[in-house]
Structures are given as C-alpha cells and as structure tokens.
C-alpha cells in the first residue's frame, strides 16, 4: 500500500466512524462534537487533494463557526438533557438506513458522471491567487449575491430576536 | 551564525536513511518548536510573576533557586504530583479531551511562523489562513471544557469565552487582511520578504505606514481578547466566576490549559511580528549582523512584555463594554482600514498618500472613539435580553 493510499484509508476510516457516531449518539452535544471531528477529517481530505485554500476554509468555517453555532443552538433550545444510561440512541438503524440510501444515490450520480471519464487535471500552481482572481472577475456576481443574502439573513435574525417591548 | 540551526538540522538529517530524510527532518522541526516554545513558556511564567510583582510593589517568586529562577521547575513538579480530580458528574471523555484540543492546535499554529531566515517549519501557500483555521479549534476546546465539567460557573465561563472569541476573531482577521492585500500572498515567508529593505534609515515594516499602524494596534487588541488576557479576562475572572471554564481542572490537565493559553499567546504575538513588525528583519541596516532568530524572539518577548504591562495596568472590562468595543469600534475601524490600504496602494508613492491616509485613519479613530464614549453611561447597566 502506498503512502497516499494509506493516509486516505485512515482519513476515510476516521470520517466514516465519526459520521456514524453523529447519527448514533444519544446526547446531542456529543453528536455535535463528533460532527466537528468528521468535518476536520473532510478538511484533511481536501488537503490531501492539494486544495489548501478549501481545506483551511473548511476548518475555519465549519469547525470554528458552524460547530460552535450548532452547539449553542442545542444548549439554548433544549431544556433537559436525556439521561446518559444509553450512549447510542434507539433510532440508529433508521438513521443508518437513510444514510445508506443517500450514499447510494450520491455514489451512483458520481460514478455515472462525465467528469470521471477524462484524465485527472494537473495540480494548479499558486492556487490561492487563482481562486481570488476568479472570484473577483468571473464569479463576482454570485459572490455579491451570496453576500447580500447572508446580510439579509443576519438582519432578519436580529429583527426576530430583538422584538421591541411595548413599554420600556 | 545566522544559519547555525539550519545547518545543524541538515547535518542531523543526513544521518537518516535516504528514504526517511523528509520525515526525519520534519520530526526535527517539530522537536525544535516544542522545545523552544515550551521553555519560553516556562521563562514567561516566571517573568510575568516577577513583572506583575514589581508593578504591585511586591517581590514575586524569589525562594526557589537564585532570584526564583527555578520556580517554573517547581511549578511543573507540583502540577505533575497533584491529584487528578474528575468531578463525578463530568462527561469523562470530553473532559479528558478538552485540554488536548486546546494545546495541539496552539502548537500547530507555530509551524507557519518564520522564526528566522530559512527557518519556517512549513512554508504554506496559504500560511496565514492556516494559522486562523487551526486557531478556530480553541473555541471548541473551551466549550468542551466548560460543558463537560457539569458546573454552572464552568458553563458560564465557556459561554463568555466563546462570545468573546467569536466577536474578536472578526476584527483580528480583518486587521490582517490589508497586509495580505499589500503583499499579494498568504504565505508568511512572502510577507516577511515584502518587508525587507530600508528607506531613509527606517525599515520597510508595515507598522510604519498609516494603515499598518492602525492594523497593528487593532490586531494587538483583538489578540489580547483572543487569548483571554487581562483586560479581556472576563471568561476566567477570578472574582466573578472563580476561574471560568477550567474551574474543575486540577494537576496536569490544569497545567495543560495554562500551557495552551501561553502557547496561543506566543503564536498570535509571533503572527503580529510577522505581519507588521518585519518578522526576523533587523530594524536598522547596521544591526543586520545579529542573527535573524534573535530579532524574531526579541520582538516576540517585547510584545509579551507589553501584554504583561497591560495586564498589570488596566482593570477588567464589563460585558457590555467588551461587546461595544468589538462591534462599534474595532469592526468599523478594521473595515475602513482595508479601504485605506486600497487607497494607499492606488495613490502611488509620494507625500500625498501619507497625508490622506493618516487623515482618514486619524479622523475615523476620533469619530468612532467619540461615538463609543458618548453612548457609554458609566452608571448602572441597563439589561436587555433577546427574546
């Protein structure tokens, strides 16, 4: 087994077991923390594919922000936590079934994709600069629209959370 | 002399079997980073206690060894021999993993810092992004510690810490953006190289430009908040919530938290040196005979001395002051600074850009500062909750 194949196998094992644990843990906070592990594993996978920028952005956004957001949402919305008698939640087989179905669909779509037929493109040099130029020139409109959408979502969240009281 | 450690590493790496040389060389770098910064940590704890003692009119540690020099050793032995307490209600696995999750990313961040000429452990194409990405894990670690202890004070401290870290991470990253724009690269080596050379007897460091000075000060303030250092030590305020998220930790796990915080402080100060203070470059042309790593660590220690000085001088902020500073002052200032950097770039060399950029930065500082202070009522705080 070559070195890249070995690291890929290790990463895949970590990601798959973490993802399985996300579905099966009974305590939602545990699930969120294991989800952070799975997302970091994905970031490592991007790094193995020489996509430095995507990998680090994945780490920054998903582990640093999204995982924290999920944890906060869980803490702020749940009154009582389930007892820790059973670690794995009883509905795990249903979850596993759904996950397998989704995996099957995705795998079929990817395997029948036209992209697999061509040979692998060469690794791009100076990838970060390339991404920045593409974003500011070719894809500037989608970028701006996404920024606008996120701003609207942010203002909406503030409006929802901060309702004015009738009398101070 | 300058390349002493680089030569040493190559000489040592030659002993390895041919196929194993890259791995062996990487291991050598790792050992050097851990050894250097861990001993710097020991030294800094002593310096901090001594310095704070001086500022508070007392001696500080002076019993162990000459002038208290062996105090860090005694502290280490003490923390190793203390009982390792785990609360009965604690979530054991998460409780155990939290200190490790804090320490490991802190050390990882050190890998991209150029500590000397040719002395970057890993020169990544997107090194600055890597630094911030691994720093993101520390928020998860703080949450894990606070939540798994099953202690109200721990959870309160963790909530405060995460709110603070998330708020100050925005100005921290935004204040680093102008440097990346000017250099045109995210690589730390390229950023240091862009600050080489001297003009009019002064170095070409980014801190000596209007946008660089503003960025450096914003970066430093945000860095203090990211490290939970005084005056931003609300998450661990001893007088309010005992010690925040690590109340329940004792013995070696507590020492690991301590280590993680200091390593994080070294990492972020090292990045400040790299981004704004010219990295390992000497401040004057006639001082270049000193080895490059001496300059890097000298600047690093100067920044740490500043951190200690601030800790001994300023009182702790209140929660509303903390949030107002982050969102109403630092964020607009950092955003404006990006625009000023663009103006600087497109105006071209000459005195005109010095004048306009200084006026814009100074004017924004005055307006925003006045606005921040005019709304500040120093009486009792009015509470307002999100529904």
């Amino acid at each position: 087994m070559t070195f890249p194949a070995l690291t890929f196998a290790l990463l895949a094992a970590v990601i798959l077991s973490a993802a399985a644990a996300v579905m099966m843990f009974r305590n939602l906070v545990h699930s969120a923390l294991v989800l952070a592990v799975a997302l970091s594993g994905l970031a490592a996978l991007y790094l193995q594919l020489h996509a430095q920028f995507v990998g680090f952005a994945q780490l920054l956004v998903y582990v640093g922000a999204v995982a924290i957001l999920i944890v906060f949402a869980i803490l702020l919305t749940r009154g009582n936590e389930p007892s820790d008698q059973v670690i794995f939640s009883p509905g795990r087989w249903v979850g596993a079934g759904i996950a397998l179905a989704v995996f099957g669909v995705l795998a079929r779509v990817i395997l029948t994709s036209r992209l697999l037929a061509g040979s692998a493109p060469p690794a791009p040099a100076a990838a970060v600069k390339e991404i920045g130029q593409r974003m500011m020139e070719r894809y500037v409109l989608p970028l701006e629209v996404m920024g606008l959408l996120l701003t609207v979502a942010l203002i909406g969240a503030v409006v929802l959370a901060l309702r004015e009281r009738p009398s101070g | 002399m300058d390349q002493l450690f680089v030569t040493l590493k190559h000489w040592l790496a030659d002993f390895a079997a041919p196929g194993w040389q890259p791995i062996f060389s990487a291991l050598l770098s790792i050992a050097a980073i851990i050894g250097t910064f861990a001993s710097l940590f020991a030294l800094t704890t002593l310096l901090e206690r001594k310095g704070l003692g001086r500022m508070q009119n007392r001696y500080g540690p002076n019993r162990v060894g000459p002038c208290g020099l062996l105090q860090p050793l005694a502290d280490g032995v003490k923390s190793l021999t203390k009982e390792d307490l785990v609360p009965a209600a604690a979530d054991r696995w998460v409780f155990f993993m939290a200190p490790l999750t804090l320490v490991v990313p802190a050390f990882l961040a050190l890998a991209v810092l150029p500590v000397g000429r040719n002395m970057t452990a890993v020169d990544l194409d997107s090194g600055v992004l890597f630094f911030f990405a691994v720093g993101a894990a520390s928020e998860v670690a703080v949450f894990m510690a606070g939540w798994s202890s099953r202690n109200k004070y721990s959870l309160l401290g963790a909530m405060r810490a995460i709110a603070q870290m998330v708020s100050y991470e925005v100005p921290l990253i935004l204040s680093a953006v102008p440097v990346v724009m000017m250099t045109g690269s995210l690589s730390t080596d390229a950023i240091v190289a862009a600050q080489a050379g001297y003009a009019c007897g002064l170095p070409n460091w980014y801190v000596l430009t209007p946008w660089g000075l503003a960025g450096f000060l914003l970066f430093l303030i945000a860095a203090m908040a990211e490290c939970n250092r005084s005056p931003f030590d609300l998450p661990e305020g001893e007088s309010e919530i005992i010690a925040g998220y690590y109340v329940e930790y004792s013995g070696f796990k507590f020492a690991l938290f301590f280590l993680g915080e200091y390593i994080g402080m070294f990492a972020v100060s090292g990045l400040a040196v790299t981004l704004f203070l010219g990295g390992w470059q000497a401040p004057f042309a006639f001082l270049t005979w000193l080895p490059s790593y001496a300059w890097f660590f000298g600047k690093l220690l100067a920044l740490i001395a500043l951190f200690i000085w601030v800790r001994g001088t300023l009182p702790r902020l209140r929660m509303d002051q903390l949030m107002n500073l982050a969102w109403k002052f630092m964020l607009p200032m950092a955003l404006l600074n990006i625009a000023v950097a663009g103006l600087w770039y497109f105006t071209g060399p000459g005195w005109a850009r010095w004048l306009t950029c200084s006026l814009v930065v100074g004017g924004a500082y005055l307006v925003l500062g006045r606005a921040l202070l005019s709304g500040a009522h120093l009486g009792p705080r009015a509470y307002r909750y999100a529904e």
Side-chain angles (χ1 to χ4, degrees):
Chain A
M1 202 182 235
T2 57
F3 192 64
L6 187 69
T7 47
F8 175 77
L10 278 175
L11 282 175
V14 167
I15 295 171
L16 283 181
S17 48
V22 172
M23 292 186 298
M24 297 201 292
F25 272 151
R26 200 178 153 83
N27 191 329
L28 271 182
V29 175
H30 284 163
S31 293
L33 291 175
V34 184
L35 181 66
V37 174
L39 293 172
S40 335
L42 269 184
L45 213 54
Y46 290 140
L47 289 184
Q48 207 198 3
L49 295 172
H50 302 285
Q52 266 186 20
F53 186 81
V54 184
F56 296 148
Q58 160 98 5
L59 212 55
L60 188 65
V61 173
Y62 281 90
V63 178
V66 172
I68 291 289
L69 195 72
I70 292 174
V71 159
F72 259 69
I74 293 167
L75 281 186
L76 292 178
T77 51
R78 289 171 68 88
N80 49 346
E81 287 171 12
S83 65
D84 288 70
Q85 301 301 318
V86 193
I87 295 180
F88 295 122
S89 101
R92 58 183 182 272
W93 296 118
V94 183
I98 294 174
L100 268 180
V102 173
F103 177 78
V105 172
L106 282 181
R108 193 183 141 66
V109 170
I110 291 172
L111 285 179
T112 52
S113 158
R114 272 181 292 125
L115 285 175
L116 282 185
S119 58
V128 178
K129 204 166 227 168
E130 191 88 340
I131 290 174
Q133 270 165 355
R134 287 288 170 87
M135 269 192 183
M136 280 294 134
E137 286 162 10
R138 176 86 175 78
Y139 299 106
V140 70
L141 189 67
L143 187 75
E144 295 292 321
V145 170
M146 255 157 64
L148 194 68
L149 199 67
L150 288 175
T151 315
V152 168
L154 192 72
I155 295 171
V158 171
V159 168
L160 281 181
L162 200 71
R163 200 175 299 138
E164 288 290 336
R165 258 167 273 167
S167 59
Chain B
M1 192 62 197
D2 191 32
Q3 297 297 301
L4 177 67
F5 293 107
V6 182
T7 326
L8 189 69
K9 186 180 141 187
H10 285 307
W11 180 69
L12 279 174
D14 280 342
F15 284 104
W20 292 91
Q21 268 182 3
I23 295 176
F24 189 64
S25 163
L27 282 177
L28 279 176
S29 301
I30 294 169
I33 285 180
I34 292 181
T36 314
F37 283 94
S39 37
L40 195 64
F41 159 68
L43 182 71
T44 309
T45 52
L46 180 69
L47 286 179
E48 173 147 29
R49 292 172 68 181
K50 280 278 193 191
L52 283 181
R54 282 289 153 196
M55 284 176 215
Q56 295 161 355
N57 246 343
R58 53 190 175 81
Y59 286 115
N62 64 351
R63 293 291 140 186
V64 193
C67 305
L69 267 177
L70 296 180
Q71 184 69 36
L73 201 66
D75 285 343
V77 171
K78 185 184 79 174
S79 68
L80 273 176
T81 52
K82 263 189 175 178
E83 186 184 355
D84 179 30
L85 286 172
V86 180
D91 201 303
R92 284 172 176 280
W93 274 102
V94 183
F95 190 80
F96 175 76
M97 286 304 292
L100 299 180
T101 322
L102 188 75
V103 169
V104 172
F107 271 111
L108 276 181
L110 294 171
V112 288
L113 293 181
V115 295
R117 189 178 280 119
N118 306 328
M119 280 170 78
T120 316
V122 202
D123 178 29
L124 289 174
D125 186 31
S126 43
V128 178
L129 191 70
F130 170 81
F131 187 94
F132 291 125
V134 291
S138 63
E139 285 155 27
V140 182
V142 165
F143 170 78
M144 284 165 74
W147 179 79
S148 66
S149 304
R150 292 289 158 87
N151 176 325
K152 285 198 173 62
Y153 291 110
S154 294
L155 197 55
L156 277 175
M159 292 294 228
R160 281 187 181 192
I162 294 172
Q164 178 177 323
M165 285 163 127
V166 168
S167 306
Y168 278 87
E169 201 166 338
V170 180
L172 184 78
I173 296 180
L174 283 181
S175 58
V177 165
V179 173
V180 175
M181 280 163 61
M182 282 297 161
T183 314
S185 170
L186 278 164
S187 149
T188 44
D189 268 359
I191 288 171
V192 172
Q195 299 178 72
Y198 303 89
C200 314
L202 284 173
N204 284 333
W205 297 353
Y206 286 139
V207 73
L208 297 174
T209 55
W211 56 268
L213 183 65
F216 177 63
L217 293 177
L218 287 172
F219 190 90
L220 216 57
I221 296 171
M224 264 177 215
E226 280 290 298
C227 308
N228 299 331
R229 294 275 307 182
S230 181
F232 300 103
D233 59 346
L234 288 99
E236 46 199 69
E238 301 89 343
S239 48
E240 297 169 15
I241 46 174
I242 320 176
Y245 49 87
Y246 52 78
V247 185
E248 299 288 1
Y249 283 88
S250 67
F252 197 64
K253 286 183 196 152
F254 176 78
L256 278 182
F257 265 106
F258 212 57
L259 175 72
E261 289 205 345
Y262 273 86
I263 297 295
M265 184 170 89
F266 296 151
V268 82
S269 316
L271 191 69
V273 168
T274 306
L275 290 181
F276 298 101
L277 299 179
W280 44 261
Q281 319 260 12
F284 299 106
F286 62 89
L287 284 174
T288 39
W289 55 272
L290 269 171
S292 51
Y293 45 85
W295 283 116
F296 179 84
F297 283 104
K299 289 171 190 172
L300 188 67
L301 281 174
L303 278 188
I304 287 164
L306 181 75
F307 276 38
I308 295 172
W309 185 14
V310 167
R311 178 176 170 186
T313 314
L314 293 178
R316 186 179 303 146
L317 287 177
R318 221 168 45 199
M319 199 65 189
D320 57 330
Q321 294 170 334
L322 181 86
M323 288 299 152
N324 279 346
L325 181 70
W327 295 105
K328 293 187 183 165
F329 181 76
M330 300 205 19
L331 182 63
M333 201 67 192
L335 283 174
L336 185 87
N337 203 31
I338 294 177
V340 170
L343 185 72
W344 175 271
Y345 183 80
F346 286 113
T347 314
W351 58 271
R353 67 173 185 179
W354 277 91
L355 190 70
T356 44
C357 290
S358 309
L359 278 180
V360 172
V361 168
Y365 170 73
L366 279 180
V367 170
L368 286 173
R370 286 284 162 82
L372 188 70
L373 282 181
S374 68
H377 45 86
L378 300 169
R381 173 184 169 193
Y383 286 91
R384 182 173 189 182
Y385 301 104
E387 282 168 31

